[in-house]
Amino acid sequence: MRAERVGQEIKRLISEIIRDEIRDPRIGFITITDVELSKDLRDANVYFSVLGSKEQEKKSIEGINQASAFIRKLIGERIKLRFNPQLKFKLDRSIAYGMKIEKMLKEIKDEKKK
């Protein structure tokens, strides 16, 4: 329960940090979709999605991984925890997959109308 609350706060902070403080041009339009913390709050899997092409996705992954130490430092300053969690950024492809399925369903529906 505590890990979920802390995870939601970390998710909010990471989103703010990316939006307001990171100036890396490689990082495109990133959305933090979820943060899963270990029970001891030492490790955090941060899931994010990228809006754009495969090339933009690749650049964003490089940029966010490069900025992870800076993001971790800022989180440590803003949330008082015994241990500052180690951040592992992972690409979340579920939004893109959902959009692909929605497009396919729309195409099928349009074909049935004809």
Side-chain angles (χ1 to χ4, degrees), residues 3-17 32 35 37 41 44 46 71 75 79 81 84-85 87:
E4 290 175 21
R5 287 193 315 266
V6 173
Q8 289 301 315
E9 183 63 16
I10 289 174
K11 176 182 171 183
R12 186 187 66 76
L13 282 173
I14 291 174
S15 295
E16 286 179 8
I17 291 167
I32 304 300
V35 174
L37 279 168
L41 306 179
V46 181
I71 294 169
I75 288 172
I79 298 179
L81 296 171
N84 197 4
L87 303 176

Side-chain angles (χ1 to χ4, degrees):
M1 192 61 124
R2 180 167 186 248
E4 290 175 21
R5 287 193 315 266
V6 173
Q8 289 301 315
E9 183 63 16
I10 289 174
K11 176 182 171 183
R12 186 187 66 76
L13 282 173
I14 291 174
S15 295
E16 286 179 8
I17 291 167
I18 289 172
R19 184 187 69 226
D20 299 336
E21 300 183 38
I22 295 182
R23 300 289 176 233
D24 191 333
R26 294 176 297 179
I27 298 175
F29 187 73
I30 287 184
T31 302
I32 304 300
T33 57
D34 195 20
V35 174
E36 292 178 353
L37 279 168
S38 61
K39 291 186 190 272
D40 63 1
L41 306 179
R42 290 183 187 229
D43 295 304
N45 290 324
V46 181
Y47 296 94
F48 66 97
S49 64
V50 178
L51 186 64
S53 66
K54 292 286 184 191
E55 183 63 29
Q56 181 61 43
E57 190 176 276
K58 183 180 173 186
K59 287 179 182 179
S60 293
I61 291 169
E62 291 172 4
I64 199 76
N65 284 327
Q66 184 100 29
S68 65
F70 175 71
I71 294 169
R72 183 177 185 217
K73 176 182 164 265
L74 291 179
I75 288 172
E77 292 172 358
R78 296 174 188 181
I79 298 179
K80 300 301 176 202
L81 296 171
R82 179 173 289 152
F83 300 102
N84 197 4
Q86 184 68 36
L87 303 176
K88 295 177 189 131
F89 287 91
K90 297 183 178 187
L91 187 61
D92 182 359
R93 297 186 189 275
S94 63
I95 293 174
Y97 183 72
M99 288 172 53
K100 180 180 175 182
I101 296 293
E102 187 175 323
K103 180 182 174 187
M104 291 169 63
L105 290 172
K106 185 179 184 295
E107 287 174 0
I108 291 170
K109 185 178 175 182
D110 290 344
E111 284 180 18
K112 281 188 176 183
K113 284 183 178 179
K114 291 179 182 179

